Amino acid sequence: MTSLVQVYEKDFRERASRKQSVGVFLLIATGAICLWVGYLLLVPFTLDDGRSGSGKGRECASRVFYDPGESGRKRSYADLEGARCAAERDVADSVAWLLVSLPLAAVGLHHCTVGTAGLQIARHESERTRLAESD
């Protein structure tokens, strides 16, 4: 194998490895965003009452697991928990974060796939070349 081919092979593997690393990083970032949105939607929280040092505040149920009532008329989260609780963990913010994570997931998946395929192709080609030279 000539030195020019070896340099090209090394450069190809480095680029594929970088693409794979960027893809994994973007997928981790997407997972972190999804975990954060899940936390915001599923976990109850406490609002600060504005008095410094009191240590107590208003308890708010989670956006997903609140009790809408048993009557025939279902009540909204804002009706039951209050406007401050509804404004603190607005669903629109969570949806916006999920929408931001979609392109990150798509680009991350693309980079991870292309990088992994490139590394596999390089390994396959080097093994094929080695076997052809040994014959």
Side-chain angles (χ1 to χ4, degrees), residues 47-99:
L47 289 176
D48 187 22
D49 63 355
R51 290 181 258 158
S52 61
S54 66
K56 291 204 171 213
R58 169 137 165 51
E59 294 288 323
C60 299
S62 72
R63 292 292 302 203
V64 174
F65 298 119
Y66 73 96
D67 185 17
E70 295 292 325
S71 66
R73 181 177 162 257
K74 300 279 185 183
R75 297 173 61 192
S76 71
Y77 181 81
D79 290 341
L80 290 171
E81 295 295 325
R84 281 191 64 208
C85 289
E88 182 69 24
R89 297 231 176 135
D90 190 19
V91 175
D93 295 339
S94 299
V95 171
W97 277 108
L98 286 177
L99 288 175

Side-chain angles (χ1 to χ4, degrees), residues 2-19:
T2 66
S3 65
L4 189 59
V5 173
Q6 289 173 337
V7 168
Y8 179 77
E9 179 72 20
K10 182 179 180 233
D11 185 51
F12 180 82
R13 286 177 188 256
E14 286 175 358
R15 280 183 288 143
S17 180
R18 266 195 312 270
K19 272 193 182 265

